[in-house]
């Protein structure tokens, strides 16, 4: 079983009737609902308003893959909570950062760059090209797929060089964007996936759902291990000199 926690700042759905209409039980529950259809996934949700901001040590210790959705109130996540999430990724937990989570504290801590980009709210078309069809995250996805209305995210996206770029987007307005990227940090695997603007029903799109499910499997930890600088004894007999 892969234990997945879907975390959401859970703000837009409470202040915008339009977002509440699309996601009446919150974006986190819409994502959890399709994940639950996979019997290999054990899914729970957490929000910023939960005890310890939904990021307690206990919750993180019981999470194999953390899926993050945040947009408007990234700064309300305490630094200590973001550090806990980062530490757990370095130990082995997978992280999937969705859409505007490019500016979330845990993602930026793990990337070490500003993670800034260009954006435009024009409800334009996005065509996502599957440029690495052999990657497990792209399994079952065609050569490309389209989202009829979305928010434009454009280059340059200030991220460190990804291990792999799985999806590359083109927008009707002319920009391009690395919309599906992977990294390894410590023992943890990270996937950033751009679709998900809150005023469009993007998490009901079957291809988007398939990719998030694939990513949850790919990000699942191979092992959990705290990485320390260990002092070790020699394996062979050696002369030890003062140094
Ligand atoms: Zn957005």
């Amino acid at each position: 079983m892969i234990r997945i926690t879907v975390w959401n700042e859970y703000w837009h759905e409470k202040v915008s009737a339009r977002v509440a209409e699309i996601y009446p039980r919150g974006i986190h529950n819409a994502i959890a609902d399709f994940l639950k259809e996979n019997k290999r996934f054990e899914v729970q949700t957490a929000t910023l308003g939960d005890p310890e901001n939904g990021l307690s040590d206990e919750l993180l210790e019981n999470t194999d893959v953390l899926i993050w959705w945040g947009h408007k109130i990234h700064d309300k996540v305490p630094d200590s909570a973001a550090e806990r999430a980062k530490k757990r990724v370095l130990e082995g937990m997978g992280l999937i950062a969705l859409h505007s989570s490019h500016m979330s504290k845990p993602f930026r801590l793990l990337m070490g760059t500003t993670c800034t980009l260009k954006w435009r709210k024009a409800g334009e078309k996005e065509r996502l090209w599957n440029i690495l069809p052999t990657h497990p995250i792209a399994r079952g996805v065609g050569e490309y797929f389209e989202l009829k209305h979305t928010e434009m995210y454009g280059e340059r996206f200030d991220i460190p060089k990804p291990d792999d770029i799985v999806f590359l987007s083109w927008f009707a307005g002319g920009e391009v964007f690395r919309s599906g990227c992977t990294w390894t940090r410590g023992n943890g695997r990270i996937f950033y996936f751009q679709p998900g603007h809150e005023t469009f029903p993007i998490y009901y799109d079957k291809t988007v759902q398939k990719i998030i499910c694939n990513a949850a499997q790919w990000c699942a930890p191979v092992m959990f291990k705290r990485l320390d600088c260990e002092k070790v004894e020699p394996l062979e007999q050696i002369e030890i000199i003062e140094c």
Side-chain angles (χ1 to χ4, degrees), residues 103-120:
M103 290 300 277
S104 68
K105 285 187 180 179
F107 184 71
R108 293 173 85 188
L109 277 173
L110 286 156
M111 294 296 109
T113 55
T114 67
C115 300
T116 49
L117 45 75
K118 290 189 188 125
W119 62 278
R120 173 172 62 240

Side-chain angles (χ1 to χ4, degrees), residues 1-170:
M1 294 295 280
I2 300 171
R3 300 166 301 170
I4 302 173
T5 301
V6 186
W7 189 96
N8 181 9
E9 65 180 22
Y10 202 20
W11 183 84
H12 282 292
E13 300 92 324
K14 293 176 184 165
V15 299
S16 160
R18 185 171 170 189
V19 179
E21 194 183 330
I22 299 167
Y23 296 112
R25 293 167 50 243
I27 290 172
H28 50 303
N29 279 310
I31 294 169
D33 284 349
F34 67 77
L35 289 166
K36 282 175 186 167
E37 289 170 19
N38 186 321
K39 296 294 168 237
R40 286 193 59 212
F41 295 159
E42 195 179 291
V43 186
Q44 64 175 334
T45 60
T47 65
L48 184 64
D50 290 350
E52 295 188 65
N53 310 106
L55 294 163
S56 67
D57 279 328
E58 193 192 346
L59 181 138
L60 292 170
E61 274 162 25
N62 289 295
T63 298
D64 294 321
V65 178
L66 180 65
I67 299 180
W68 191 284
W69 200 96
H71 181 196
K72 211 65 185 173
I73 49 174
H74 296 306
D75 60 332
K76 297 280 189 272
V77 176
D79 290 344
S80 55
E83 282 289 347
R84 284 198 296 277
K86 173 193 165 185
K87 179 173 154 277
R88 195 60 180 153
V89 170
L90 297 179
E91 290 171 357
M93 182 179 74
L95 174 68
I96 300 174
L98 295 172
H99 189 56
S100 39
S101 304
H102 67 96
M103 290 300 277
S104 68
K105 285 187 180 179
F107 184 71
R108 293 173 85 188
L109 277 173
L110 286 156
M111 294 296 109
T113 55
T114 67
C115 300
T116 49
L117 45 75
K118 290 189 188 125
W119 62 278
R120 173 172 62 240
K121 287 183 184 177
E124 67 205 87
K125 183 167 91 173
E126 175 179 3
R127 182 175 297 137
L128 293 99
W129 288 92
N130 172 5
I131 62 168
L132 196 56
T134 53
H135 197 286
I137 293 177
R139 183 170 294 146
V141 179
E143 191 179 18
Y144 66 86
F145 68 102
E146 293 178 350
L147 299 170
K148 206 170 168 189
H149 301 290
T150 190
E151 179 183 19
M152 187 284 292
Y153 276 9
E155 298 284 348
R156 188 178 176 261
F157 187 15
D158 182 36
I159 46 173
K161 193 174 172 184
D163 292 344
D164 281 312
I165 301 170
V166 187
F167 300 105
L168 183 67
S169 286
W170 168 89

